[in-house]
Amino acid sequence: MSTALDARTLLSEHFPNVVATVLDSNPGMQQDLAERITEEGIKFVVTCARTPGVDLAPSRIVDEGWHALLLHSAPYAELCARFGSMVHHYPGYDPTYYDHEILDRTRASIRAAGFDVDEELWAAPGDERLVAVAAQCQHAPSCAIRPMPKPEWP
């Protein structure tokens, strides 16, 4: 039995709404796949919030879950605050870009944060045999995720 953290429970009652957003953006996608994409997006955001200063980036498929989560701004902000820092989105506009190193580092960071990684959702652009998603941005070092540290008030 896995002792990994459960991403669904971190978003609680908002999880079905984010899954519905993934489904709305991707007509014909199966419910279980949208749930997996949402879970992986949550894992990514929580990991980024916990590790400010570390350049991380999602795969294109996982980015779809992150995009859906961002649209639910109140639970998104609460999730970020609960685990550390606000995680801002800096889109990468080259959908063919792929940086194996940053994605390896991101998956390792997700594992270090206590989650299992759904490897199938971390495919390179053009190798998305599981699903083609609506998200067209691919994050690179120039647009890697760098959460802002918590502000220090005097």
Side-chain angles (χ1 to χ4, degrees):
M1 181 172 187
S2 175
T3 60
L5 294 173
D6 181 1
R8 287 178 189 230
T9 62
L10 299 178
L11 203 57
S12 63
E13 73 272 8
H14 302 288
F15 185 82
N17 297 331
V18 177
V19 171
T21 301
V22 172
L23 290 168
D24 286 346
S25 297
N26 296 277
M29 181 180 284
Q30 297 296 311
Q31 175 84 21
D32 65 326
L33 180 56
E35 290 173 0
R36 289 172 57 199
I37 290 170
T38 301
E39 288 175 7
E40 213 66 10
I42 294 167
K43 295 173 194 178
F44 172 73
V45 169
V46 168
T47 301
C48 289
R50 286 182 167 176
T51 56
V54 178
D55 292 347
L56 302 175
S59 68
R60 227 166 112 186
I61 296 172
V62 174
D63 201 36
E64 184 69 29
W66 185 21
H67 289 181
L69 188 55
L70 280 162
L71 292 175
H72 298 265
S73 61
Y76 179 79
E78 291 167 11
L79 185 69
C80 290
R82 187 171 0 143
F83 289 97
S85 305
M86 182 64 171
V87 181
H88 296 282
H89 184 271
Y90 300 94
Y93 293 103
D94 180 357
T96 64
Y97 187 84
Y98 181 70
D99 183 336
H100 188 68
E101 184 179 306
I102 200 168
L103 294 181
D104 285 348
R105 180 172 55 247
T106 301
R107 288 192 309 272
S109 295
I110 289 171
R111 284 186 197 94
F115 296 105
D116 288 332
V117 173
D118 189 338
E119 292 291 343
E120 200 170 30
L121 300 182
W122 290 84
D127 189 27
E128 295 109 343
R129 292 176 216 144
L130 181 65
V131 62
V133 293
Q136 291 298 310
C137 61
Q138 181 67 41
H139 297 274
S142 63
C143 59
I145 310 314
R146 296 178 190 92
M148 301 301 295
K150 286 185 177 182
E152 295 181 22
W153 304 104

